[in-house]
Amino acid sequence: MKRRLNLRVPRSGAGRRAGAALALTALTVPLTVAFGSTAQAATASSCTASRGPYQKQAEKFLGLRVDGRQSAADCRAIRAFQTTHGITPNIGYAGPVTWGVMRVVAQQNAAGRTPNKAGHCPTNKGRIACVDLTRQLSWIQDGGKRVFGPVPVRTGRDGYETRTGAKKIYWRHLHHVSTLYNVPMPYSQFFDGGQAFHSISGSVWSAPGSHGCVNMRSNDAKKYWSLLKNGDDVYVYGRKPGT
């Protein structure tokens, strides 16, 4: 259950703003959305001069000059973001996938250290792993106290949505391999049928998403493995963009 998603070398002025924006991006905790693909007439090794349909939005997100025109600096910044977040082709084109990831990353940044500020994940239980599909975030809490996270996750793609509701971890397998897709699923912790927390080798920001599992970065999945056990609660809510 795994897979794919859009940065620049800062100068002065606008460049410093870009650097700040990118620093935030690096600290972010989640996401990817399947917003479809876009025609991009360039090779994977080139930086396109084409203006994308989300050019202004990407410029604003990256702290660049917002003029809606693709410059060499814009392309470098967008391409760096794409490379960091596993978006392909990484040619600096501000398409729908790139903007979709930027939009979720912005929400993840805004979550900060208070991901359950709105109180959607239950606080009347003990140890519980919360999964917010909308922001593609997960964290662990004890009652109302945050224990770990939030961290970025990649949940089910359209047609393979991660099921919402209250669940419990019922089976753990450290070195699990999917019998359906024949792919490694390290640190698997199953909570709903074949749906589980587990690490992936690729980017958790990559489109279009998993086959229902909650994909995690390796260190995050390892931490979940150490903090959770059979019988612990899991609560999944929200709706992943694009599903």
Side-chain angles (χ1 to χ4, degrees):
M1 312 194 179
K2 40 182 179 182
R3 296 222 188 244
R4 311 186 191 146
L5 323 158
N6 290 282
L7 259 188
R8 150 191 183 286
V9 178
R11 293 180 180 176
S12 59
R16 285 194 294 270
R17 293 195 300 275
L22 300 185
L24 270 176
T25 301
L27 293 173
T28 190
V29 279
L31 103 96
T32 295
V33 197
F35 285 101
S37 59
T38 185
Q40 299 171 335
T43 66
S45 61
S46 66
C47 201
T48 182
S50 299
R51 173 191 182 279
Y54 295 90
Q55 188 73 33
K56 286 187 176 181
Q57 292 93 327
E59 290 168 348
K60 184 176 181 180
F61 176 84
L62 294 172
L64 303 166
R65 179 183 178 185
V66 181
D67 58 12
R69 296 193 296 269
Q70 177 80 317
S71 67
D74 289 347
C75 188
R76 288 195 300 270
I78 296 168
R79 188 181 185 190
F81 180 87
Q82 291 169 333
T83 301
T84 297
H85 292 82
I87 302 170
T88 57
N90 59 335
I91 57 173
Y93 183 83
V97 171
T98 297
W99 170 237
V101 174
M102 287 179 173
R103 191 165 55 182
V104 178
V105 165
Q107 291 184 64
Q108 293 173 344
N109 284 335
R113 294 181 176 272
T114 56
N116 201 36
K117 188 175 183 179
H120 294 306
C121 194
T123 57
N124 61 343
K125 299 179 180 291
R127 179 68 48 98
I128 185 170
C130 309
V131 181
D132 181 346
L133 300 179
T134 304
R135 296 181 293 176
Q136 294 288 279
L137 287 177
S138 183
W139 64 95
I140 297 173
Q141 60 188 45
D142 281 337
K145 180 182 178 182
R146 180 179 57 86
V147 174
F148 179 70
V151 297
V153 295
R154 189 181 73 151
T155 63
R157 67 187 72 182
D158 192 30
Y160 296 88
E161 289 85 353
T162 305
R163 294 180 286 273
T164 58
K167 336 270 184 182
K168 284 184 181 292
I169 293 174
Y170 68 90
W171 185 51
R172 292 161 26 106
H173 191 183
L174 185 60
H175 302 296
H176 189 70
V177 176
S178 171
T179 55
L180 284 176
Y181 305 105
N182 194 32
V183 294
M185 297 168 54
Y187 304 106
S188 283
Q189 301 191 79
F190 291 85
F191 55 81
D192 186 355
Q195 298 188 350
F197 294 110
H198 69 84
S199 71
I200 58 171
S201 58
S203 171
V204 295
W205 288 277
S206 62
S210 75
H211 286 93
C213 283
V214 178
N215 294 164
M216 311 183 78
R217 297 175 298 191
S218 181
N219 286 341
D220 296 335
K222 186 176 182 179
K223 187 68 173 179
Y224 267 48
W225 180 269
S226 71
L227 292 172
L228 299 173
K229 63 183 186 304
N230 284 338
D232 280 345
D233 289 290
V234 176
Y235 188 73
V236 183
Y237 69 95
R239 183 172 181 175
K240 178 178 179 177
T243 64

